[in-house]
mmCIF file of all heavy atoms in Angstrom:
data_model
loop_
_atom_site.group_PDB
_atom_site.id
_atom_site.type_symbol
_atom_site.label_atom_id
_atom_site.label_comp_id
_atom_site.label_asym_id
_atom_site.label_seq_id
_atom_site.Cartn_x
_atom_site.Cartn_y
_atom_site.Cartn_z
ATOM 1 N N ALA R 1 101.443 96.902 92.823
ATOM 2 C CA ALA R 1 102.233 95.920 92.078
ATOM 3 C C ALA R 1 101.321 94.872 91.456
ATOM 4 O O ALA R 1 100.253 94.560 91.990
ATOM 5 C CB ALA R 1 103.248 95.246 92.997
ATOM 6 N N PHE R 2 101.773 94.331 90.332
ATOM 7 C CA PHE R 2 101.046 93.294 89.615
ATOM 8 C C PHE R 2 101.929 92.055 89.505
ATOM 9 O O PHE R 2 103.153 92.157 89.367
ATOM 10 C CB PHE R 2 100.677 93.776 88.209
ATOM 11 C CG PHE R 2 99.702 94.916 88.214
ATOM 12 C CD1 PHE R 2 100.145 96.229 88.267
ATOM 13 C CD2 PHE R 2 98.336 94.671 88.181
ATOM 14 C CE1 PHE R 2 99.248 97.285 88.277
ATOM 15 C CE2 PHE R 2 97.434 95.725 88.192
ATOM 16 C CZ PHE R 2 97.885 97.033 88.241
ATOM 17 N N ASP R 3 101.308 90.892 89.547
ATOM 18 C CA ASP R 3 102.019 89.637 89.351
ATOM 19 C C ASP R 3 102.509 89.595 87.907
ATOM 20 O O ASP R 3 101.708 89.753 86.980
ATOM 21 C CB ASP R 3 101.084 88.462 89.635
ATOM 22 C CG ASP R 3 101.786 87.131 89.532
ATOM 23 O OD1 ASP R 3 102.295 86.804 88.430
ATOM 24 O OD2 ASP R 3 101.813 86.410 90.541
ATOM 25 N N PRO R 4 103.809 89.398 87.679
ATOM 26 C CA PRO R 4 104.325 89.431 86.309
ATOM 27 C C PRO R 4 103.803 88.292 85.420
ATOM 28 O O PRO R 4 103.729 88.446 84.206
ATOM 29 C CB PRO R 4 105.838 89.345 86.467
ATOM 30 C CG PRO R 4 106.061 88.845 87.843
ATOM 31 C CD PRO R 4 104.856 89.190 88.658
ATOM 32 N N LYS R 5 103.416 87.176 86.025
ATOM 33 C CA LYS R 5 102.933 86.039 85.239
ATOM 34 C C LYS R 5 101.446 86.154 84.900
ATOM 35 O O LYS R 5 101.035 85.887 83.778
ATOM 36 C CB LYS R 5 103.188 84.725 85.979
ATOM 37 C CG LYS R 5 104.656 84.387 86.096
ATOM 38 C CD LYS R 5 104.859 83.081 86.809
ATOM 39 C CE LYS R 5 106.362 82.807 86.929
ATOM 40 N NZ LYS R 5 106.641 81.589 87.653
ATOM 41 N N THR R 6 100.633 86.533 85.890
ATOM 42 C CA THR R 6 99.181 86.552 85.680
ATOM 43 C C THR R 6 98.642 87.935 85.349
ATOM 44 O O THR R 6 97.542 88.060 84.833
ATOM 45 C CB THR R 6 98.439 86.051 86.936
ATOM 46 O OG1 THR R 6 98.683 86.972 88.018
ATOM 47 C CG2 THR R 6 98.893 84.662 87.323
ATOM 48 N N GLY R 7 99.404 88.971 85.693
ATOM 49 C CA GLY R 7 98.936 90.336 85.477
ATOM 50 C C GLY R 7 97.933 90.806 86.522
ATOM 51 O O GLY R 7 97.405 91.905 86.434
ATOM 52 N N GLN R 8 97.672 89.969 87.546
ATOM 53 C CA GLN R 8 96.723 90.340 88.600
ATOM 54 C C GLN R 8 97.377 91.272 89.618
ATOM 55 O O GLN R 8 98.571 91.153 89.915
ATOM 56 C CB GLN R 8 96.195 89.103 89.314
ATOM 57 C CG GLN R 8 95.259 88.281 88.475
ATOM 58 C CD GLN R 8 94.622 87.166 89.289
ATOM 59 O OE1 GLN R 8 95.171 86.714 90.294
ATOM 60 N NE2 GLN R 8 93.457 86.727 88.856
ATOM 61 N N LEU R 9 96.564 92.161 90.161
ATOM 62 C CA LEU R 9 97.007 93.077 91.202
ATOM 63 C C LEU R 9 97.365 92.274 92.449
ATOM 64 O O LEU R 9 96.571 91.442 92.897
ATOM 65 C CB LEU R 9 95.883 94.075 91.506
ATOM 66 C CG LEU R 9 96.168 95.196 92.480
ATOM 67 C CD1 LEU R 9 97.185 96.172 91.890
ATOM 68 C CD2 LEU R 9 94.877 95.934 92.809
ATOM 69 N N ILE R 10 98.556 92.503 93.025
ATOM 70 C CA ILE R 10 98.966 91.778 94.232
ATOM 71 C C ILE R 10 99.193 92.702 95.439
ATOM 72 O O ILE R 10 99.261 92.237 96.567
ATOM 73 C CB ILE R 10 100.214 90.914 93.982
ATOM 74 C CG1 ILE R 10 101.383 91.761 93.457
ATOM 75 C CG2 ILE R 10 99.889 89.765 93.040
ATOM 76 C CD1 ILE R 10 102.698 91.007 93.329
ATOM 77 N N SER R 11 99.313 94.011 95.197
ATOM 78 C CA SER R 11 99.367 94.974 96.299
ATOM 79 C C SER R 11 98.883 96.325 95.782
ATOM 80 O O SER R 11 99.012 96.633 94.605
ATOM 81 C CB SER R 11 100.772 95.086 96.901
ATOM 82 O OG SER R 11 101.676 95.642 95.983
ATOM 83 N N ASP R 12 98.290 97.089 96.689
ATOM 84 C CA ASP R 12 97.753 98.394 96.294
ATOM 85 C C ASP R 12 97.902 99.363 97.452
ATOM 86 O O ASP R 12 98.339 99.004 98.543
ATOM 87 C CB ASP R 12 96.289 98.266 95.870
ATOM 88 C CG ASP R 12 95.827 99.405 94.960
ATOM 89 O OD1 ASP R 12 96.686 100.194 94.509
ATOM 90 O OD2 ASP R 12 94.627 99.506 94.696
ATOM 91 N N ARG R 13 97.538 100.601 97.205
ATOM 92 C CA ARG R 13 97.649 101.651 98.211
ATOM 93 C C ARG R 13 96.371 102.480 98.231
ATOM 94 O O ARG R 13 95.607 102.502 97.271
ATOM 95 C CB ARG R 13 98.848 102.525 97.929
ATOM 96 C CG ARG R 13 98.830 103.122 96.543
ATOM 97 C CD ARG R 13 100.120 103.797 96.246
ATOM 98 N NE ARG R 13 100.201 104.181 94.850
ATOM 99 C CZ ARG R 13 101.209 104.811 94.334
ATOM 100 N NH1 ARG R 13 102.223 105.141 95.082
ATOM 101 N NH2 ARG R 13 101.224 105.138 93.073
ATOM 102 N N GLY R 14 96.153 103.157 99.354
ATOM 103 C CA GLY R 14 94.967 103.979 99.506
ATOM 104 C C GLY R 14 95.249 105.158 100.423
ATOM 105 O O GLY R 14 96.345 105.297 100.981
ATOM 106 N N LEU R 15 94.237 105.994 100.582
ATOM 107 C CA LEU R 15 94.349 107.193 101.404
ATOM 108 C C LEU R 15 93.098 107.342 102.247
ATOM 109 O O LEU R 15 91.983 107.141 101.759
ATOM 110 C CB LEU R 15 94.503 108.433 100.519
ATOM 111 C CG LEU R 15 94.505 109.768 101.248
ATOM 112 C CD1 LEU R 15 95.885 110.060 101.816
ATOM 113 C CD2 LEU R 15 94.095 110.882 100.318
ATOM 114 N N ILE R 16 93.300 107.688 103.505
ATOM 115 C CA ILE R 16 92.215 108.057 104.418
ATOM 116 C C ILE R 16 92.533 109.479 104.856
ATOM 117 O O ILE R 16 93.631 109.741 105.343
ATOM 118 C CB ILE R 16 92.187 107.144 105.661
ATOM 119 C CG1 ILE R 16 91.992 105.687 105.256
ATOM 120 C CG2 ILE R 16 91.102 107.608 106.635
ATOM 121 C CD1 ILE R 16 92.265 104.706 106.390
ATOM 122 N N ALA R 17 91.599 110.387 104.667
ATOM 123 C CA ALA R 17 91.840 111.777 105.085
ATOM 124 C C ALA R 17 90.568 112.355 105.698
ATOM 125 O O ALA R 17 89.465 112.110 105.209
ATOM 126 C CB ALA R 17 92.282 112.625 103.896
ATOM 127 N N LEU R 18 90.734 113.101 106.760
ATOM 128 C CA LEU R 18 89.620 113.769 107.421
ATOM 129 C C LEU R 18 89.988 115.237 107.572
ATOM 130 O O LEU R 18 91.110 115.565 107.964
ATOM 131 C CB LEU R 18 89.369 113.167 108.810
ATOM 132 C CG LEU R 18 88.242 113.798 109.616
ATOM 133 C CD1 LEU R 18 86.889 113.364 109.053
ATOM 134 C CD2 LEU R 18 88.352 113.417 111.082
ATOM 135 N N ARG R 19 89.051 116.111 107.260
ATOM 136 C CA ARG R 19 89.281 117.548 107.441
ATOM 137 C C ARG R 19 87.945 118.284 107.467
ATOM 138 O O ARG R 19 86.929 117.759 107.058
ATOM 139 C CB ARG R 19 90.165 118.106 106.343
ATOM 140 C CG ARG R 19 89.580 118.006 104.956
ATOM 141 C CD ARG R 19 90.356 118.749 103.906
ATOM 142 N NE ARG R 19 91.765 118.601 104.145
ATOM 143 C CZ ARG R 19 92.701 118.711 103.237
ATOM 144 N NH1 ARG R 19 92.379 118.975 102.003
ATOM 145 N NH2 ARG R 19 93.953 118.566 103.521
ATOM 146 N N ARG R 20 87.994 119.512 107.943
ATOM 147 C CA ARG R 20 86.806 120.374 107.929
ATOM 148 C C ARG R 20 86.790 121.196 106.649
ATOM 149 O O ARG R 20 87.823 121.681 106.197
ATOM 150 C CB ARG R 20 86.812 121.342 109.106
ATOM 151 C CG ARG R 20 86.367 120.743 110.387
ATOM 152 C CD ARG R 20 86.106 121.871 111.390
ATOM 153 N NE ARG R 20 85.903 121.334 112.698
ATOM 154 C CZ ARG R 20 84.709 121.062 113.199
ATOM 155 N NH1 ARG R 20 83.638 121.279 112.495
ATOM 156 N NH2 ARG R 20 84.603 120.568 114.405
ATOM 157 N N HIS R 21 85.605 121.358 106.074
ATOM 158 C CA HIS R 21 85.446 122.230 104.915
ATOM 159 C C HIS R 21 85.597 123.668 105.401
ATOM 160 O O HIS R 21 84.990 124.069 106.412
ATOM 161 C CB HIS R 21 84.064 122.013 104.287
ATOM 162 C CG HIS R 21 83.898 122.716 102.993
ATOM 163 N ND1 HIS R 21 83.569 124.045 102.900
ATOM 164 C CD2 HIS R 21 84.031 122.265 101.732
ATOM 165 C CE1 HIS R 21 83.490 124.387 101.635
ATOM 166 N NE2 HIS R 21 83.767 123.319 100.906
ATOM 167 N N LEU R 22 86.431 124.435 104.726
ATOM 168 C CA LEU R 22 86.743 125.794 105.193
ATOM 169 C C LEU R 22 85.526 126.702 105.247
ATOM 170 O O LEU R 22 85.403 127.536 106.137
ATOM 171 C CB LEU R 22 87.814 126.407 104.302
ATOM 172 C CG LEU R 22 89.185 125.739 104.361
ATOM 173 C CD1 LEU R 22 90.126 126.364 103.339
ATOM 174 C CD2 LEU R 22 89.760 125.811 105.753
ATOM 175 N N THR R 23 84.617 126.556 104.308
ATOM 176 C CA THR R 23 83.464 127.451 104.235
ATOM 177 C C THR R 23 82.326 127.027 105.149
ATOM 178 O O THR R 23 81.775 127.847 105.884
ATOM 179 C CB THR R 23 82.940 127.522 102.783
ATOM 180 O OG1 THR R 23 84.027 127.839 101.928
ATOM 181 C CG2 THR R 23 81.867 128.574 102.647
ATOM 182 N N THR R 24 81.976 125.744 105.121
ATOM 183 C CA THR R 24 80.798 125.278 105.851
ATOM 184 C C THR R 24 81.108 124.770 107.252
ATOM 185 O O THR R 24 80.220 124.714 108.092
ATOM 186 C CB THR R 24 80.095 124.150 105.083
ATOM 187 O OG1 THR R 24 80.962 123.004 105.050
ATOM 188 C CG2 THR R 24 79.712 124.580 103.688
ATOM 189 N N GLY R 25 82.347 124.341 107.488
ATOM 190 C CA GLY R 25 82.697 123.748 108.770
ATOM 191 C C GLY R 25 82.284 122.291 108.882
ATOM 192 O O GLY R 25 82.525 121.660 109.904
ATOM 193 N N HIS R 26 81.654 121.732 107.848
ATOM 194 C CA HIS R 26 81.261 120.327 107.868
ATOM 195 C C HIS R 26 82.499 119.440 107.746
ATOM 196 O O HIS R 26 83.482 119.805 107.111
ATOM 197 C CB HIS R 26 80.298 119.998 106.714
ATOM 198 C CG HIS R 26 78.977 120.662 106.842
ATOM 199 N ND1 HIS R 26 78.473 121.511 105.893
ATOM 200 C CD2 HIS R 26 78.037 120.604 107.818
ATOM 201 C CE1 HIS R 26 77.304 121.954 106.260
ATOM 202 N NE2 HIS R 26 77.005 121.427 107.431
ATOM 203 N N TRP R 27 82.407 118.253 108.343
ATOM 204 C CA TRP R 27 83.504 117.290 108.251
ATOM 205 C C TRP R 27 83.469 116.605 106.895
ATOM 206 O O TRP R 27 82.406 116.249 106.394
ATOM 207 C CB TRP R 27 83.384 116.232 109.337
ATOM 208 C CG TRP R 27 83.720 116.774 110.684
ATOM 209 C CD1 TRP R 27 82.849 117.082 111.671
ATOM 210 C CD2 TRP R 27 85.014 117.081 111.180
ATOM 211 N NE1 TRP R 27 83.527 117.566 112.760
ATOM 212 C CE2 TRP R 27 84.856 117.575 112.479
ATOM 213 C CE3 TRP R 27 86.294 116.987 110.642
ATOM 214 C CZ2 TRP R 27 85.928 117.959 113.267
ATOM 215 C CZ3 TRP R 27 87.358 117.381 111.425
ATOM 216 C CH2 TRP R 27 87.173 117.858 112.723
ATOM 217 N N LEU R 28 84.619 116.394 106.313
ATOM 218 C CA LEU R 28 84.761 115.682 105.050
ATOM 219 C C LEU R 28 85.710 114.512 105.262
ATOM 220 O O LEU R 28 86.808 114.687 105.778
ATOM 221 C CB LEU R 28 85.325 116.599 103.962
ATOM 222 C CG LEU R 28 84.525 117.862 103.655
ATOM 223 C CD1 LEU R 28 85.309 118.775 102.731
ATOM 224 C CD2 LEU R 28 83.203 117.496 103.034
ATOM 225 N N LEU R 29 85.276 113.326 104.866
ATOM 226 C CA LEU R 29 86.106 112.138 104.951
ATOM 227 C C LEU R 29 86.372 111.673 103.529
ATOM 228 O O LEU R 29 85.445 111.443 102.765
ATOM 229 C CB LEU R 29 85.405 111.030 105.742
ATOM 230 C CG LEU R 29 86.140 109.696 105.851
ATOM 231 C CD1 LEU R 29 87.449 109.848 106.620
ATOM 232 C CD2 LEU R 29 85.242 108.653 106.516
ATOM 233 N N PHE R 30 87.647 111.548 103.170
ATOM 234 C CA PHE R 30 88.052 111.103 101.846
ATOM 235 C C PHE R 30 88.644 109.701 101.971
ATOM 236 O O PHE R 30 89.518 109.472 102.799
ATOM 237 C CB PHE R 30 89.118 112.036 101.246
ATOM 238 C CG PHE R 30 88.661 113.446 101.095
ATOM 239 C CD1 PHE R 30 88.907 114.378 102.092
ATOM 240 C CD2 PHE R 30 87.981 113.850 99.964
ATOM 241 C CE1 PHE R 30 88.490 115.683 101.958
ATOM 242 C CE2 PHE R 30 87.560 115.160 99.815
ATOM 243 C CZ PHE R 30 87.809 116.082 100.812
ATOM 244 N N LEU R 31 88.156 108.790 101.146
ATOM 245 C CA LEU R 31 88.667 107.425 101.093
ATOM 246 C C LEU R 31 88.872 107.093 99.628
ATOM 247 O O LEU R 31 87.902 107.057 98.866
ATOM 248 C CB LEU R 31 87.668 106.437 101.708
ATOM 249 C CG LEU R 31 87.272 106.695 103.156
ATOM 250 C CD1 LEU R 31 86.062 105.861 103.533
ATOM 251 C CD2 LEU R 31 88.438 106.385 104.077
ATOM 252 N N TYR R 32 90.100 106.873 99.219
ATOM 253 C CA TYR R 32 90.318 106.474 97.838
ATOM 254 C C TYR R 32 91.620 105.714 97.686
ATOM 255 O O TYR R 32 92.451 105.708 98.583
ATOM 256 C CB TYR R 32 90.219 107.634 96.855
ATOM 257 C CG TYR R 32 91.232 108.742 96.968
ATOM 258 C CD1 TYR R 32 92.387 108.734 96.206
ATOM 259 C CD2 TYR R 32 91.008 109.824 97.799
ATOM 260 C CE1 TYR R 32 93.297 109.769 96.274
ATOM 261 C CE2 TYR R 32 91.920 110.858 97.878
ATOM 262 C CZ TYR R 32 93.058 110.834 97.117
ATOM 263 O OH TYR R 32 93.956 111.850 97.185
ATOM 264 N N GLY R 33 91.724 105.033 96.554
ATOM 265 C CA GLY R 33 92.897 104.210 96.309
ATOM 266 C C GLY R 33 93.344 104.297 94.877
ATOM 267 O O GLY R 33 92.668 104.886 94.024
ATOM 268 N N ASN R 34 94.488 103.701 94.613
ATOM 269 C CA ASN R 34 95.027 103.684 93.268
ATOM 270 C C ASN R 34 94.141 102.833 92.358
ATOM 271 O O ASN R 34 93.981 103.125 91.192
ATOM 272 C CB ASN R 34 96.459 103.156 93.294
ATOM 273 C CG ASN R 34 97.285 103.668 92.151
ATOM 274 O OD1 ASN R 34 97.083 104.774 91.678
ATOM 275 N ND2 ASN R 34 98.219 102.862 91.711
ATOM 276 N N HIS R 35 93.576 101.757 92.918
ATOM 277 C CA HIS R 35 92.622 100.879 92.242
ATOM 278 C C HIS R 35 91.460 100.651 93.199
ATOM 279 O O HIS R 35 91.502 101.089 94.349
ATOM 280 C CB HIS R 35 93.277 99.543 91.870
ATOM 281 C CG HIS R 35 94.396 99.691 90.893
ATOM 282 N ND1 HIS R 35 94.197 99.760 89.538
ATOM 283 C CD2 HIS R 35 95.734 99.822 91.075
ATOM 284 C CE1 HIS R 35 95.353 99.911 88.922
ATOM 285 N NE2 HIS R 35 96.308 99.958 89.843
ATOM 286 N N THR R 36 90.448 99.947 92.758
ATOM 287 C CA THR R 36 89.294 99.658 93.613
ATOM 288 C C THR R 36 89.731 98.976 94.908
ATOM 289 O O THR R 36 89.211 99.280 95.982
ATOM 290 C CB THR R 36 88.292 98.766 92.858
ATOM 291 O OG1 THR R 36 87.894 99.440 91.671
ATOM 292 C CG2 THR R 36 87.074 98.452 93.702
ATOM 293 N N GLN R 37 90.694 98.082 94.827
ATOM 294 C CA GLN R 37 91.156 97.363 96.013
ATOM 295 C C GLN R 37 91.793 98.311 97.022
ATOM 296 O O GLN R 37 91.664 98.122 98.229
ATOM 297 C CB GLN R 37 92.144 96.252 95.615
ATOM 298 C CG GLN R 37 91.497 95.108 94.879
ATOM 299 C CD GLN R 37 91.349 95.358 93.372
ATOM 300 O OE1 GLN R 37 91.530 96.465 92.881
ATOM 301 N NE2 GLN R 37 91.008 94.320 92.637
ATOM 302 N N GLY R 38 92.505 99.339 96.551
ATOM 303 C CA GLY R 38 93.088 100.325 97.452
ATOM 304 C C GLY R 38 92.025 101.121 98.179
ATOM 305 O O GLY R 38 92.137 101.403 99.371
ATOM 306 N N THR R 39 90.961 101.479 97.453
ATOM 307 C CA THR R 39 89.848 102.200 98.085
ATOM 308 C C THR R 39 89.172 101.307 99.117
ATOM 309 O O THR R 39 88.881 101.739 100.232
ATOM 310 C CB THR R 39 88.830 102.651 97.025
ATOM 311 O OG1 THR R 39 89.499 103.464 96.057
ATOM 312 C CG2 THR R 39 87.700 103.448 97.654
ATOM 313 N N ARG R 40 88.949 100.054 98.757
ATOM 314 C CA ARG R 40 88.309 99.126 99.695
ATOM 315 C C ARG R 40 89.189 98.926 100.927
ATOM 316 O O ARG R 40 88.697 98.850 102.053
ATOM 317 C CB ARG R 40 88.034 97.797 99.007
ATOM 318 C CG ARG R 40 87.341 96.807 99.904
ATOM 319 C CD ARG R 40 86.946 95.571 99.157
ATOM 320 N NE ARG R 40 86.523 94.547 100.098
ATOM 321 C CZ ARG R 40 86.210 93.325 99.741
ATOM 322 N NH1 ARG R 40 86.256 92.978 98.473
ATOM 323 N NH2 ARG R 40 85.847 92.455 100.644
ATOM 324 N N GLY R 41 90.492 98.836 100.744
ATOM 325 C CA GLY R 41 91.404 98.705 101.873
ATOM 326 C C GLY R 41 91.350 99.920 102.792
ATOM 327 O O GLY R 41 91.395 99.798 104.013
ATOM 328 N N ALA R 42 91.230 101.123 102.208
ATOM 329 C CA ALA R 42 91.110 102.351 103.015
ATOM 330 C C ALA R 42 89.815 102.320 103.821
ATOM 331 O O ALA R 42 89.797 102.681 105.000
ATOM 332 C CB ALA R 42 91.161 103.582 102.119
ATOM 333 N N VAL R 43 88.730 101.869 103.201
ATOM 334 C CA VAL R 43 87.444 101.762 103.902
ATOM 335 C C VAL R 43 87.560 100.767 105.050
ATOM 336 O O VAL R 43 87.116 101.046 106.169
ATOM 337 C CB VAL R 43 86.316 101.352 102.925
ATOM 338 C CG1 VAL R 43 85.041 100.995 103.676
ATOM 339 C CG2 VAL R 43 86.047 102.461 101.925
ATOM 340 N N GLU R 44 88.162 99.609 104.783
ATOM 341 C CA GLU R 44 88.326 98.611 105.843
ATOM 342 C C GLU R 44 89.181 99.153 106.982
ATOM 343 O O GLU R 44 88.900 98.902 108.152
ATOM 344 C CB GLU R 44 88.934 97.333 105.276
ATOM 345 C CG GLU R 44 87.965 96.562 104.407
ATOM 346 C CD GLU R 44 88.575 95.312 103.815
ATOM 347 O OE1 GLU R 44 89.673 94.893 104.237
ATOM 348 O OE2 GLU R 44 87.929 94.745 102.905
ATOM 349 N N GLY R 45 90.222 99.907 106.656
ATOM 350 C CA GLY R 45 91.082 100.471 107.687
ATOM 351 C C GLY R 45 90.348 101.446 108.590
ATOM 352 O O GLY R 45 90.460 101.377 109.811
ATOM 353 N N VAL R 46 89.567 102.341 108.000
ATOM 354 C CA VAL R 46 88.889 103.360 108.800
ATOM 355 C C VAL R 46 87.766 102.754 109.652
ATOM 356 O O VAL R 46 87.365 103.339 110.648
ATOM 357 C CB VAL R 46 88.370 104.516 107.908
ATOM 358 C CG1 VAL R 46 87.071 104.171 107.212
ATOM 359 C CG2 VAL R 46 88.212 105.800 108.699
ATOM 360 N N MET R 47 87.309 101.564 109.302
ATOM 361 C CA MET R 47 86.240 100.916 110.058
ATOM 362 C C MET R 47 86.768 99.906 111.074
ATOM 363 O O MET R 47 85.990 99.314 111.808
ATOM 364 C CB MET R 47 85.267 100.226 109.090
ATOM 365 C CG MET R 47 84.515 101.211 108.228
ATOM 366 S SD MET R 47 83.476 100.479 106.942
ATOM 367 C CE MET R 47 82.687 99.140 107.751
#
């Protein structure tokens, strides 16, 4: 969501996902968000 008056981002979303790669068996951690703030929030959550 964005503030209607200022246009600044006021809330965002992100994703934290962990899984094994099917071929290599290595662990893969995905952290991303709708905007940079969502990605940063996902990083903060996982830590």
Side-chain angles (χ1 to χ4, degrees):
F2 294 89
D3 184 299
K5 292 181 181 178
T6 64
Q8 289 187 335
L9 185 68
I10 57 174
S11 66
D12 202 10
R13 56 189 171 179
L15 175 82
I16 300 167
L18 179 74
R19 63 171 39 156
R20 280 193 190 266
H21 188 278
L22 294 175
T23 308
T24 66
H26 293 121
W27 287 105
L28 302 171
L29 177 64
F30 300 93
L31 302 167
Y32 64 94
N34 206 32
H35 297 276
T36 302
Q37 290 84 348
T39 303
R40 182 174 169 185
V43 170
E44 288 179 12
V46 80
M47 294 174 43

